[in-house]
Amino acid sequence: GMALWRVVVRAVVLLFLGTALTMLGTPVAVILAYYAVLFVFTCMLLTERWQIIAGAAAVLGVVGPVVSFWVRSLIDAGGTLKSVVDTVNAYDPFVALADDGVVNFLLTGSYPAITWLPFVFAGLAIGRLDLRQTRVRWRLVALGTVLAAAAYTVSWLAVRVFGVDARLAATVDPATGEVFGTEGFDQLFVEGIGGTVPTTDWAWLLVTVPHSGTPLDVYGAGGVAIAVLGLCLIVADALGRASWLVYPLASVGALSLTTYVGHILVIWLDENDVLDGTPLFFVSEWLSLTVLVGSLLFATVWRLVVKRRGPLEWPLHVVSSWVAKRIP
């Protein structure tokens, strides 16, 4: 019970923190408010065995994108669902604040729960395993590799061999109203899509465009993540005494919320030219490098010197634990 309430309290905090960051207007699709919704759904399976959670991830990885496509096509067609969505958005305080509300969190946004829950469920299932066992780690690598290879191969055959690319290149880009064309369609594989595929053609569900939330994208990206996780655990162990080499990476993982909020604030400073003409001008000059190196340095120094949870992780832990203890 206490674990469940801690998750719920964290979700509430992330909802407001994410909304505040979205209100800054940076070009980042802020994920924190979406995490809040994902966390609440995760509560349903919090006490289940890993096999059930993994099964839920596997089923939802296929069913979620299909249902999403169908429901969004009803909205896009301007039917009854369009007016329902418009009404919900009109009364949604988060839409008023940050133009990113419940309908986006569940269905139409950058990380909609209906297609992103499989990743969270997969992580929850993996967390139930005994990850100290080398055998388990290698199985993760094998499983992830097979899933990713299968998903990307099926998509490649459908799109590039059986002509789905030409079919989708002839559809209209909802963002511009223009036909994608071969070049525009290929560019999607470089730039990615904002969380959901267009509902102009069911064949969109066969692509593995980055961040598109199709079944094959979920299985492909999920497979890569599972394999990389297993590999990282194997490599960290194999390093032995040289494990300090991966300490900075582990530190960023331990301070993930602080790092995430921090990098958005740095991007906001850059967007608003706050650092130009100051000794910190280089932050804007080499933004990507600054965020990368700065995250690794800050997190490492914090863990070495302060030796406690991060500046945002600690209050989040204290607040969620305090509230959870007081709920009967």
Side-chain angles (χ1 to χ4, degrees), residues 24 38 77 86 95 113 159 170 178 207 243-244 261:
L24 291 178
L38 293 168
D86 288 345
V95 171
V159 175
E178 306 285 321
V207 303
S243 63
W244 56 267
V261 173

Side-chain angles (χ1 to χ4, degrees), residues 126-240:
I126 290 167
R128 291 273 194 278
L129 305 175
D130 183 1
L131 295 173
R132 285 182 295 268
Q133 286 190 35
T134 310
R135 188 177 78 243
V136 173
R137 295 169 175 186
W138 280 112
R139 282 179 179 171
L140 287 179
V141 174
L143 172 68
T145 305
V146 168
L147 287 177
Y152 289 126
T153 302
V154 167
S155 180
W156 178 79
L157 285 170
V159 175
R160 302 299 180 189
V161 178
F162 295 113
V164 166
D165 50 358
R167 175 171 162 175
L168 294 178
T171 64
V172 172
D173 180 351
T176 63
E178 306 285 321
V179 170
F180 276 104
T182 306
E183 221 173 284
F185 178 72
D186 287 343
Q187 193 60 27
L188 292 177
F189 285 85
V190 179
E191 294 177 357
I193 286 184
T196 53
V197 287
T199 55
T200 46
D201 191 320
W202 280 95
W204 277 109
L205 291 174
L206 295 168
V207 303
T208 49
V209 171
H211 208 248
S212 57
T214 68
L216 296 171
D217 176 44
V218 171
Y219 270 80
V224 170
I226 291 167
V228 168
L229 180 63
L231 271 178
C232 286
L233 290 167
I234 290 162
V235 169
D237 247 17
L239 286 171

Side-chain angles (χ1 to χ4, degrees), residues 34 68 71-72 75-76 85 89 100-115 194-196:
Y34 290 85
S68 165
V71 175
R72 287 184 301 106
I75 297 168
D76 294 342
V85 166
N89 284 340
D100 206 12
V102 172
V103 176
N104 271 6
F105 300 153
L106 296 174
L107 189 70
T108 54
S110 301
Y111 317 93
I114 194 165
T115 44
T196 53

Side-chain angles (χ1 to χ4, degrees), residues 267-324:
I267 290 169
W268 181 82
L269 292 173
D270 170 58
E271 286 283 308
N272 291 279
D273 305 322
V274 176
L275 303 172
D276 295 359
T278 74
L280 292 172
F281 72 93
F282 64 89
V283 171
S284 290
E285 295 260 321
W286 300 292
L287 185 63
S288 300
L289 190 64
T290 306
V291 167
L292 176 64
V293 176
S295 300
L296 291 165
L297 272 176
F298 178 83
T300 304
V301 170
W302 180 276
R303 276 186 85 207
L304 286 171
V305 177
V306 183
K307 292 182 177 159
R308 66 152 68 172
R309 287 181 173 88
L312 291 182
E313 286 76 10
W314 184 73
L316 185 64
H317 169 74
V318 169
V319 170
S320 59
S321 301
W322 186 87
V323 174

Side-chain angles (χ1 to χ4, degrees), residues 48-104:
E48 293 292 349
R49 300 194 314 278
W50 73 264
Q51 293 94 330
I52 291 173
I53 305 170
V59 171
L60 199 57
V62 177
V63 173
V66 173
V67 171
S68 165
F69 186 95
W70 175 63
V71 175
R72 287 184 301 106
S73 68
L74 295 178
I75 297 168
D76 294 342
T80 42
L81 275 185
K82 174 82 172 85
S83 56
V84 171
V85 166
D86 288 345
T87 305
V88 171
N89 284 340
Y91 289 99
D92 188 335
F94 295 103
V95 171
L97 285 169
D99 202 22
D100 206 12
V102 172
V103 176
N104 271 6

